[in-house]
């Protein structure tokens, strides 16, 4: 019976040691050298929504005021369109 208690305690300590080691490895990746403190770096893919933008008049794009991927506010001009109608 005594041997069984010792074996159970040894297994519990090994299990707790593995958990502690896993947490150490995980958090050293989050806070270690090369990364910013408090950030976790992972690779992946982010997909965004696409919106179609149209114009009420026909014409040629004369100037573009923003770049792809840049956040814009509602009502902010994106491009200047040259048209014989205007």
């Amino acid at each position: 019976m005594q041997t069984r208690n010792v074996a159970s305690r040894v297994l519990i300590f090994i299990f707790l040691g593995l958990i502690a080691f896993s947490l150490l490895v995980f958090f050293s990746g989050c806070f270690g050298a090369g990364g910013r403190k408090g950030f976790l770096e992972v690779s992946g893919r982010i997909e965004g929504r696409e919106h179609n933008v149209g114009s009420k008049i026909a014409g040629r794009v004369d100037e573009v005021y923003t770049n792809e991927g840049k956040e814009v506010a509602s009502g902010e001009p994106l491009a200047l369109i040259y048209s014989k109608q205007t």
Side-chain angles (χ1 to χ4, degrees):
M1 190 72 170
Q2 178 109 8
T3 314
R4 192 176 223 184
N5 286 339
V6 171
S8 298
R9 286 183 181 178
V10 168
L11 287 176
I12 289 173
F13 282 121
I14 290 173
F15 181 70
L16 291 175
L18 287 173
I19 290 175
F21 180 74
S22 299
L23 289 173
L24 178 69
V25 169
F26 175 75
F27 284 115
S28 69
C30 291
F31 304 112
R36 293 181 293 172
K37 187 171 184 170
F39 288 86
L40 174 64
E41 291 186 28
V42 296
S43 62
R45 182 175 162 175
I46 299 174
E47 293 189 31
R49 297 184 308 238
E50 245 182 65
H51 293 280
N52 294 324
V53 178
S55 173
K56 294 181 180 179
I57 58 171
R60 187 180 71 226
V61 174
D62 203 26
E63 288 183 53
V64 178
Y65 298 126
T66 188
N67 295 321
E68 182 178 344
K70 182 181 174 192
E71 189 171 316
V72 294
S74 178
E76 184 178 340
L78 303 176
L80 175 66
I81 298 177
Y82 171 78
S83 175
K84 293 181 183 178
Q85 296 175 359
T86 59

